[in-house]
Amino acid sequence: NMPTAIEQHVDWISACLHHLRSIGSARIETTDEAADAWGVQVNEAAYRTLLPMAESSWYLGANVPGKPRVFMPYAGGLAAYARHCEEVAADGYDGFVLASGCRAEGVDRLT
């Protein structure tokens, strides 16, 4: 249910921004390793469903000509997703680089 998921996203991001402000950080970026590991989890959950087999689903980016067809939403359930997000935050935003400057040190993939 997308509206429920969006509510969880807003709550998590709000708490993350509060945390960043409380420690004086101005930027948060994922590490390549964490992004890749999350992509594996998303794909594993997706391929337990029929969703990735759809011909024209916007979940796959089919609504954008030339866009790579990748299943982006997490299909493992909202409770599991929320639990994962809570664990990441509780572990000091494990998988993310928090920085006070305009660019996180050691992260080269973002501009």
Side-chain angles (χ1 to χ4, degrees), residues 7-28:
E7 186 174 327
Q8 184 277 334
H9 297 160
V10 169
D11 290 344
W12 191 87
I13 290 168
S14 295
C16 179
L17 291 172
H18 178 74
H19 174 73
L20 292 174
R21 286 187 187 121
S22 74
I23 63 169
S25 288
R27 189 175 182 108
I28 182 170

Side-chain angles (χ1 to χ4, degrees), residues 2-51:
M2 286 298 172
T4 304
I6 293 300
E7 186 174 327
Q8 184 277 334
H9 297 160
V10 169
D11 290 344
W12 191 87
I13 290 168
S14 295
C16 179
L17 291 172
H18 178 74
H19 174 73
L20 292 174
R21 286 187 187 121
S22 74
I23 63 169
S25 288
R27 189 175 182 108
I28 182 170
E29 299 179 31
T30 186
T31 63
D32 289 338
E33 296 80 13
D36 292 345
W38 180 246
V40 168
Q41 289 184 45
V42 168
N43 285 330
E44 287 173 354
Y47 281 98
R48 289 191 296 262
T49 74
L50 296 174
L51 294 169

Side-chain angles (χ1 to χ4, degrees), residues 79-103:
Y81 178 79
R83 198 168 35 255
H84 176 78
C85 291
E86 290 168 12
E87 290 168 1
V88 166
D91 288 340
Y93 294 90
D94 185 39
F96 290 91
V97 176
L98 286 60
S100 58
C102 137
R103 183 175 173 77

